[in-house]
Amino acid sequence: MINRASLQQAFDLLDYLKGRGVEAIIAGGCARDIFFGVKPKDIDIIVVDSSMETVGLLLAEANVAAVGFHMYRGEETSDRIVGGYKLSGADIDVLVYRCHTVSEAIDAFDFNLNQFAIVDSRNGIDGAYVRFVGKHHWGQLVAVREDASASRRGRMFDKYIDLIPRRATAEPVNEAPVGGADGVF
């Protein structure tokens, strides 16, 4: 389970990567869970327009211990994910996407329910927001990619059924604070 300290660690690493010219964002399940008022179990930092080698060197330069992994053993079988790094002692993954922009990476997520991102992270936890950035509103579960397995579809449906009542509203809401008086952290 992620706490404020681990989220701050992810924000710090995100700022470090961006400061070194790497385009990156915290997006996916972590951002989605915060939006719905649930403490996330892990954090994914999405990196684009970079290589595994560059990210590995930057992590080493920052004295961040991590174990690298390739999603497809280095083969060009994925149209989006190359691999990533699991930080040692933290529930934080740095995922390297084969995309040129973070928007392109988020558009390639499998379900709209995952198309949430933390924005304004440079303002700290209390100044950051989670924003829904998908094309199909989160009020209805939509498979953005058709290549999701049946088990993945089932897990996403269960997640949808669990989360939607937490943010039920008469008007569409597409943004929520990360911290502060109304945020999870």
Side-chain angles (χ1 to χ4, degrees), residues 88-170:
S88 301
D91 290 321
I92 301 170
D93 293 334
V94 179
L95 301 174
V96 180
Y97 271 66
R98 187 178 286 112
C99 298
H100 296 293
T101 67
V102 293
S103 295
E104 182 184 348
I106 294 169
D107 285 347
F109 286 2
D110 56 358
F111 284 85
N112 67 325
L113 194 56
N114 291 328
Q115 293 179 315
F116 288 87
I118 295 179
V119 297
D120 294 332
S121 61
R122 68 187 178 285
N123 295 323
I125 292 171
D126 292 330
Y129 283 83
V130 173
R131 185 173 294 148
F132 177 72
V133 295
K135 292 180 177 79
H136 304 282
H137 190 268
W138 55 264
Q140 179 179 345
L141 183 64
V142 175
V144 177
R145 297 176 61 95
E146 294 303 321
D147 58 354
S149 67
S151 64
R152 175 69 175 168
R153 288 177 184 276
R155 285 193 313 272
M156 290 307 301
F157 180 76
D158 291 344
K159 175 87 48 196
Y160 172 78
I161 294 299
D162 176 57
L163 292 177
I164 291 303
R166 298 171 186 262
R167 186 53 94 170
T169 178

